[in-house]
Amino acid sequence: SIDLLLASDWQATIKRMETTLREKLAPASHSPLVADVRVLGAIGVIEMQASVDMTAMQKAFVDAGIWIRPFGKLVYIMPPYIMNERQLEFLATTMVDIVTAR
């Protein structure tokens, strides 16, 4: 795995993912349910104002076709570097849609 990572242009991949996550997660910051939205590299976090119903929210994610396990007030993603742009956009926008609908 390390050899595969080092053989790729992983820095450019992470920068691309960071740019996409910043753009696609940003709309969540306008929701009164959301305390903060942060992105660092290929990690995206939506911090909610209150703890989420993890079972219900995870079911909503799975029903929408994404796998995210919320933790307390945090809904975060650490997508794999092999994820293409279309998949990453779908993941992030679906995440925002679900956390802001509650």
Side-chain angles (χ1 to χ4, degrees):
S1 294
I2 296 293
D3 290 339
L4 287 173
L5 177 66
L6 295 176
S8 70
D9 190 4
W10 59 272
Q11 294 99 335
T13 298
I14 292 171
K15 185 63 177 166
R16 173 190 59 82
M17 294 177 85
E18 180 176 37
T19 299
T20 300
L21 289 175
R22 285 190 191 283
E23 176 187 339
K24 299 301 179 183
L25 296 179
S29 65
H30 303 295
S31 171
L33 302 172
V34 173
D36 192 26
V37 176
R38 359 186 228 282
V39 175
L40 179 61
I43 302 169
V45 179
I46 298 176
E47 181 178 349
M48 306 301 289
Q49 292 286 354
S51 293
V52 300
D53 178 340
M54 291 188 287
T55 302
M57 187 171 278
Q58 186 175 13
K59 180 176 180 349
F61 288 140
V62 171
D63 290 347
I66 61 176
W67 180 259
I68 299 175
R69 291 187 54 111
F71 181 75
K73 296 189 326 181
L74 303 178
V75 182
Y76 65 95
I77 52 177
M78 297 171 53
Y81 298 166
I82 61 169
M83 187 171 271
N84 68 42
E85 194 67 15
R86 181 184 55 78
Q87 293 167 327
L88 184 59
E89 288 178 3
F90 177 76
L91 175 63
T93 57
T94 304
M95 178 179 168
V96 169
D97 290 345
I98 290 171
V99 301
T100 59
R102 303 243 171 247

